[in-house]
Amino acid sequence: MKILVVGSGGREHALVWKLKSSPLVKRIYVAPGNAGIGLMADNVNLKVDDLEGVARFEQKKEIDLTVVGPELPLTLGIVDLFEKRGLRIFGPSKKAAEIEGSKAFAKEFMRKYHIPTASFVVFDDKARALEFAREAAYPLFIKASGLAAGKGAVMAPNAEEAAAVIERMMGEKVFGEAGAKIVIEDRLAGQEVTIMAFTDGKTILPMLSSQDHKQIFDGDQGPNTGGMGAYCPVPYVSDQMMQTIREQILEPAIYGLEKEGRRYKGILYAGLMITPVGPKVIEFNCRFGDPETQVVLPLLKSDLADIFIAIVDGNLNIIEPVWKEGAAVCVVMTSRGYPDKYETGAKITGVRTYRENHAYLFHAGTRHEGNTWYTAGGRVLGVTAVNQDIRSAVKAVYDTMENIHFEGAHFRRDIAYQAMK
Ligand code: AMP
Ligand code: GLY
């Protein structure tokens, strides 16, 4: 098979690395990819939102299967376009991807299907939202309904800050049209967990549990980022908890979407809070998580290409994914200044294969020139190590990172602390 992967981050590098190990896969193209991905696949200079360009490339190269990483092309309808042309593609349709593309839709959908989530109100009128904010009990979360690159959710501790956030989203439109509608919801307390599931709309196969670390500094301090690290599996997600998540969240979501005429094929990502009264949904995403994919796929024993084909063909019931024992930990290295304006162009040393620690370097933002690597993004490298348990994987990953340097490099030193109490 010839496969085309759409995307350019650490998630896509992990996808390409895993697909590459499949005997079914002969060649992989990535649009647009990155320098690290270029070591194992052919990068193609196409933007992820150039749906027409990607479709033409797939036809020209006679690609057998296209796999979409990021949410943007999915919410723009890349799957619908490909299917109309008879091209094979892995991911949810535009209508199904609305579960991520519109938080207002997702919340109202959850209410309708009794999926546990924080109680909420939706506003498309600024004056109404401000009026609500004056009277409400705090703290609350205020969220732009549309896509905001993971930056659209803000905690408001009191009415003044809530008013300021509403003004920024609906008045100044800092997220553009994504903030024309907002969701205001209660804050949930507990531990966050990510559960991703493979589904063809009928069969649901949850992957191992994982946990992302969204904040920039140790101890979960500072602003949210695209993800500073992750680990897998999460020890406090028991088999019984997994069963509850399946019955109360995954099944009602997939079957509810089906009922609404939004058949879901691809990956459903459930971002959950494990509260004292059980798991509740913080958000749904319509794709693999990043960096979670960088720890979950290294523990998948089964052939990923096989699973993708079964999903596209609607045959997922024939698949029984097999997982490795042990644990995986990923630590993300970022450029000075990230998540605000950051530096690029710093020389990176130590980019090589680290077999001795069972470590993988997944590239997110690097550039390669001659024999030298340079930083080229806010998130630069995801260093993942697999070992027999979380503790030894943490040690292996930080040992590996002793060898990797660039000016202004930042990373958290406490990834997976929740699992080592
Ligand atoms: P979201 O964009 O909805 O995923 O929110 C980003 C992050 O904000 C989440 O990963 C949580 O850490 C936090 N968050 C969002 N909504 C809530 C909530 N209702 N209660 C507590 N934390 C939340
Ligand atoms: N790790 C969070 C996300 O992928 O949205």
Side-chain angles (χ1 to χ4, degrees):
M1 279 203 314
K2 283 190 270 184
I3 295 196
L4 170 63
V5 174
V6 177
S8 64
R11 164 184 53 207
E12 285 74 22
H13 196 172
L15 278 165
V16 169
W17 164 80
K18 179 65 187 164
L19 286 169
K20 195 92 189 161
S21 68
S22 164
L24 299 172
V25 177
K26 195 172 76 188
R27 187 153 190 189
I28 306 179
Y29 296 94
V30 191
N34 66 40
I37 292 174
L39 297 177
M40 52 172 69
D42 295 309
N43 290 333
V44 186
N45 191 14
L46 284 167
K47 292 215 171 77
V48 300
D49 60 355
D50 178 7
L51 308 192
E52 191 54 51
V54 175
R56 271 204 304 271
F57 179 83
E58 120 92 85
Q59 280 172 306
K60 188 173 91 194
K61 293 286 182 189
E62 298 180 327
I63 303 288
D64 300 291
L65 176 69
T66 297
V67 175
V68 186
E71 61 277 15
L72 183 60
L74 294 168
T75 57
L76 291 175
I78 193 170
V79 171
D80 310 65
L81 176 75
F82 273 52
E83 286 182 349
K84 211 162 65 199
R85 299 201 183 157
L87 310 174
R88 296 173 95 217
I89 186 162
F90 173 79
S93 66
K94 182 174 182 172
K95 272 170 87 181
E98 232 187 317
I99 197 80
E100 173 166 4
S102 165
K103 284 195 194 285
F105 166 74
K107 293 294 288 192
E108 275 152 9
F109 170 80
M110 284 189 261
R111 175 138 67 196
K112 182 166 173 189
Y113 289 92
H114 310 291
I115 297 171
T117 188
S119 43
F120 70 99
V121 263
V122 176
F123 294 99
D124 57 12
D125 181 81
K126 191 179 86 177
R128 286 252 166 97
L130 288 169
E131 190 185 313
F132 173 87
R134 270 195 295 277
E135 303 295 323
Y138 287 85
L140 291 173
F141 266 80
I142 304 181
K143 302 180 177 186
S145 178
L147 293 183
K151 299 192 175 100
V154 183
M155 211 263 284
N158 55 49
E160 293 73 59
E161 292 203 23
V165 173
I166 292 166
E167 192 55 56
R168 277 204 300 282
M169 287 185 185
M170 303 186 89
E172 295 161 32
K173 293 202 183 310
V174 293
F175 301 117
E177 276 312 295
K181 238 187 214 180
I182 63 167
V183 173
I184 302 186
E185 66 180 35
D186 283 346
R187 185 178 65 167
L188 299 170
Q191 281 286 350
E192 275 190 71
V193 168
T194 297
I195 304 294
M196 300 187 278
F198 297 109
T199 183
D200 60 358
K202 299 170 287 186
T203 302
I204 302 169
L205 301 175
M207 300 179 219
L208 296 179
S209 57
S210 57
Q211 184 167 19
D212 184 7
H213 299 59
K214 291 204 168 75
Q215 286 172 281
I216 185 88
F217 299 124
D218 285 10
D220 299 321
Q221 301 295 313
N224 271 352
T225 68
M228 296 300 295
Y231 68 93
C232 170
V234 179
Y236 49 83
V237 178
S238 61
D239 289 353
Q240 195 190 342
M241 172 69 72
M242 213 49 185
Q243 190 57 24
T244 306
I245 292 167
R246 169 187 275 282
E247 286 166 9
Q248 296 186 1
I249 293 166
L250 300 175
E251 290 178 357
I254 298 296
Y255 303 149
L257 285 165
E258 172 83 24
K259 246 200 205 144
E260 303 280 316
R262 300 170 189 255
R263 162 155 302 180
Y264 201 99
K265 277 185 167 189
I267 305 299
L268 181 68
Y269 170 119
L272 308 176
M273 190 72 86
I274 308 297
T275 76
V277 295
K280 294 192 181 194
V281 176
I282 298 172
E283 63 167 349
F284 282 121
N285 291 328
C286 62
R287 46 157 180 95
F288 279 106
D290 200 1
E292 290 94 325
T293 302
Q294 300 179 50
V295 286
V296 173
L297 289 186
L299 291 177
L300 177 64
K301 219 183 229 170
S302 308
D303 186 326
L304 186 61
D306 234 7
I307 300 177
F308 286 166
I309 293 164
I311 291 174
V312 173
D313 292 345
N315 282 335
L316 192 58
N317 58 342
I318 62 171
I319 299 276
E320 261 185 74
V322 181
W323 299 93
K324 292 180 193 160
E325 298 286 322
V329 172
C330 170
V331 179
V332 175
M333 298 181 84
T334 61
S335 295
R336 178 150 49 214
Y338 180 82
D340 297 326
K341 212 169 138 26
Y342 52 80
E343 294 172 3
T344 57
K347 190 170 162 180
I348 315 170
T349 56
V351 176
R352 64 168 174 88
T353 309
Y354 286 93
R355 282 204 185 79
E356 64 275 25
N357 281 331
H358 304 285
Y360 310 98
L361 266 51
F362 295 125
H363 294 232
T366 59
R367 195 161 56 79
H368 197 205
E369 229 179 79
N371 281 327
T372 309
W373 290 91
Y374 298 93
T375 62
R379 288 193 290 174
V380 177
L381 284 169
V383 184
T384 292
V386 174
N387 219 305
Q388 62 202 20
D389 55 29
I390 293 275
R391 225 167 258 283
S392 46
V394 164
K395 181 172 183 327
V397 90
Y398 285 111
D399 282 353
T400 305
M401 291 175 78
E402 299 265 307
N403 301 287
I404 305 170
H405 301 281
F406 60 87
E407 170 71 24
H410 167 74
F411 58 89
R412 280 180 61 162
R413 287 165 199 278
D414 66 344
I415 300 301
Y417 75 89
Q418 305 92 330
M420 295 194 291
K421 281 178 191 154

